[in-house]
Amino acid sequence: MVLLDLLGRRMTLRILWELSIAGGPLTFRALQHAAQTNPSVLNSRLKELRNAQIIEHGGGGYQLSAMGKSLLAIILPLHVWADEWASLYKRNRAMPSRAKGNA
Amino acid sequence: MVLLDLLGRRMTLRILWELSIAGGPLTFRALQHAAQTNPSVLNSRLKELRNAQIIEHGGGGYQLSAMGKSLLAIILPLHVWADEWASLYKRNRAMPSRAKGNA
DNA sequence: CGGGATCCCCGACGATACTG
DNA sequence: CAGTATCGTCGGGGATCCCG
């Protein structure tokens, strides 16, 4: 699924999350700081997300589009599911190596 | 999100999908054929999914666990959303590179 | 401050040969 | 038929520099 290819990328969800809790536009640097990443990756994600019309640029920074918000709403149940699942999952370590920060 | 790290991997959803439509256990080779992949990748995914308890092995092959089914149920809305979104997404990607400003 | 350009590294993937 | 081992390739991601 193309969507997962996008969401699965390194900072995508983090960015959406930061934009979501910010509640308003965030500047490039602000996002970079909030998401703790480097310009190149951030720039890539921003391009992809903007192209996908999940976020918008303008009015003082980046923010979720209407579509982005609706996406977030759908992702939420997934997030909840993942939480319960995570406890089980962690019990038997040996997961894919790519997992760093977020739950 | 760790879950997306798993789902985003190359054949994961495809495997879940094949198992879901099969409705019963599938053998290693059957899966390999259905998902059109090679043994090494298939094996990796199978390990990961089994470890995550999303699929089970036994009784003549691999099949979705209860958890796997519940996951699929949650993924479905996402899939639906992705469908609508996809049309927009593609339209955008199809734009001439020169005038790439969003419409 | 925004964000494109560059360099390097490492892990994921693909193909295939091989064992039980 | 089930699954593992090996090897080369490719692309994403981290860091950094720097111009507009």
Side-chain angles (χ1 to χ4, degrees):
Chain A
M1 173 148 56
V2 185
L3 179 61
L4 279 183
D5 183 54
L6 182 56
L7 295 184
R9 276 180 152 68
R10 196 111 232 278
M11 277 292 151
T12 312
L13 273 182
R14 179 66 179 275
I15 291 171
L16 294 182
W17 184 247
E18 297 296 344
L19 288 178
S20 146
I21 61 181
L26 288 182
T27 69
F28 189 93
R29 304 281 185 189
L31 258 176
Q32 185 183 347
H33 182 257
Q36 294 273 39
T37 186
N38 58 55
S40 45
V41 168
L42 179 59
N43 192 27
S44 305
R45 289 307 92 79
L46 253 26
K47 272 187 194 165
E48 295 161 6
L49 287 171
R50 218 181 343 162
N51 177 300
Q53 310 195 4
I54 290 172
I55 64 175
E56 305 165 331
H57 189 206
Y62 294 91
Q63 52 189 317
L64 292 173
S65 69
M67 241 191 168
K69 289 174 188 168
S70 77
L71 174 58
L72 231 48
I74 300 208
I75 286 180
L76 215 61
L78 191 64
H79 186 43
V80 172
W81 188 95
D83 268 355
E84 306 173 26
W85 165 82
S87 47
L88 260 165
Y89 188 61
K90 287 193 175 158
R91 232 171 274 165
N92 3 322
R93 283 163 293 109
M95 15 166 106
S97 51
R98 201 54 159 311
K100 286 222 167 127
N102 345 355
Chain B
M1 174 149 59
V2 184
L3 179 62
L4 279 182
D5 183 58
L6 182 57
L7 294 184
R9 278 180 150 68
R10 195 111 227 279
M11 277 291 150
T12 311
L13 273 183
R14 179 66 178 275
I15 292 171
L16 293 183
W17 183 249
E18 297 295 346
L19 287 178
S20 145
I21 62 181
L26 287 181
T27 69
F28 189 93
R29 303 285 179 190
L31 258 177
Q32 183 184 347
H33 181 257
Q36 295 272 42
T37 185
N38 60 54
S40 44
V41 167
L42 178 60
N43 193 25
S44 305
R45 289 306 93 80
L46 253 26
K47 273 186 193 166
E48 295 161 6
L49 287 172
R50 216 178 348 160
N51 179 343
Q53 310 196 6
I54 290 173
I55 64 173
E56 303 165 330
H57 189 206
Y62 294 89
Q63 52 189 316
L64 292 174
S65 69
M67 241 190 167
K69 289 175 187 167
S70 76
L71 175 59
L72 232 48
I74 300 208
I75 286 180
L76 216 61
L78 190 66
H79 184 43
V80 172
W81 188 93
D83 268 355
E84 305 172 28
W85 164 83
S87 48
L88 261 167
Y89 185 63
K90 287 191 176 160
R91 208 178 306 159
N92 212 21
R93 291 186 64 98
M95 286 181 77
S97 48
R98 184 72 152 102
K100 57 88 157 272
N102 10 11

